[in-house]
């Protein structure tokens, strides 16, 4: 059965409002200015039409987790909405580094010195002035996940020192999934401590150092712990039909 939706009939606008309200409430609980928190709507698996609706509802930042899948969507929507910012939140393979550097405004998933070097090289070859990235840190030591372990951070920091174009803007983490978001809190707290240490060492230049943490089920806890970027998919777009 096919159902024709009227504009807004997907309920998206109401869900965006609700997420915004929750972002503000959690910022208020932590005594933070809600404008310090950027809502990245994770649009992976969803069609351009739905992203268009989200742009109409006032969203300006979108997250994708696969370069291949995102490319067509981004190229198409960039023509209509050039100010929209695109975030790569999924693992980046070295052989897609060039395309990712061209497509995305912020890559959240940099997790190895070789990827840092690769990105620097493709930016140089492309004559690109700069590329903003976050270091993805795997705080739970989950072998199946992407992200650098804490013990790998010194090598990552070292590799960034050799970069003229790749600019590290902060840290990202994806804690293990817990039904109770409270259990994710120590991971968010730890990422913030690591960010503070790197900031003191000047890794983020003049910037304060972003913290990309929190998804649909735990973004409120993440905001209480200092998140400046929350990556929210399901709570905005509804359930994804395909696995991603
Ligand atoms: C899919 C994804 C999200 C969004 O997840 P939801 O639970 O749908 O909010 C956030 N971050 C990353 C890295 C993702 O892959």
């Amino acid at each position: 059965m096919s159902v024709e939706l009227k504009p807004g009939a997907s309920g998206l606008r109401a869900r965006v409002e609700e997420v915004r309200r929750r972002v503000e409430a959690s910022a208020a609980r932590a005594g933070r200015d809600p404008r310090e928190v950027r809502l990245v709507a994770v649009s992976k698996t969803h069609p351009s039409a739905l992203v268009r609706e989200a742009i109409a509802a006032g969203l300006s930042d979108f997250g994708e987790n696969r370069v291949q899948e995102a490319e067509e969507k981004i190229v198409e929507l960039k023509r209509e909405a050039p100010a929209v910012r695109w975030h790569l939140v999924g693992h980046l393979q070295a052989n897609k580094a060039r395309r990712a550097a061209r497509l995305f405004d912020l890559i959240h998933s940099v997790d190895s010195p070789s990827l840092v070097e690769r990105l620097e090289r493709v930016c140089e070859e492309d004559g690109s002035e700069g590329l903003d990235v976050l270091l993805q840190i795997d705080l739970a030591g989950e072998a199946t996940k992407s992200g650098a372990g804490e013990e790998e951070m010194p090598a990552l920091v070292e590799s960034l020192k050799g970069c003229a174009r790749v600019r590290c803007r902060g840290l990202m983490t994806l804690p293990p999934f817990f039904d109770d978001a409270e259990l994710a809190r120590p991971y968010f707290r730890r990422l913030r401590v690591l960010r503070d240490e790197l900031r003191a060492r000047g890794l983020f230049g003049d910037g304060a150092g972003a913290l990309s943490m929190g998804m649909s089920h735990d973004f409120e806890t993440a905001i209480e712990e200092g998140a400046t970027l929350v990556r929210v998919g399901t709570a905005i777009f509804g359930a994804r039909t395909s696995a991603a």
Side-chain angles (χ1 to χ4, degrees), residues 32 36 135 153 157 160 168-171 190-211 225-228:
R32 301 183 58 203
E36 288 172 14
L135 301 181
M153 288 179 66
V157 170
L160 284 158
C168 184
R169 299 300 195 190
L171 303 180
R190 179 68 189 148
L191 196 72
R192 181 186 182 148
V193 167
L194 294 172
R195 189 275 316 265
D196 291 348
E197 285 171 13
L198 294 174
R199 174 162 67 194
R201 292 168 53 194
L203 188 69
F204 312 122
D206 296 338
L211 284 173
E225 296 301 330
T228 63

Side-chain angles (χ1 to χ4, degrees), residues 111-131:
D111 62 358
S112 72
S114 64
L115 184 56
V116 169
E117 285 150 21
R118 180 84 170 221
L119 287 167
E120 177 69 15
R121 195 159 60 244
V122 301
C123 286
E124 201 175 315
E125 288 166 3
D126 277 2
S128 142
E129 277 175 24
L131 176 67

Side-chain angles (χ1 to χ4, degrees), residues 5 8-13 15-16 41-57 59 62 73 77 86 233 236-240:
L5 294 177
S10 66
L12 187 119
R13 194 176 281 272
R15 286 196 298 267
V16 169
V42 179
S43 50
K44 64 188 182 195
T45 78
H46 298 295
S48 303
L50 206 56
V51 179
R52 234 173 243 126
E53 218 184 296
I55 295 170
L59 293 176
F62 294 91
K73 215 189 278 186
L77 290 166
W86 291 91
I236 290 175
F237 293 108
R240 289 179 289 273

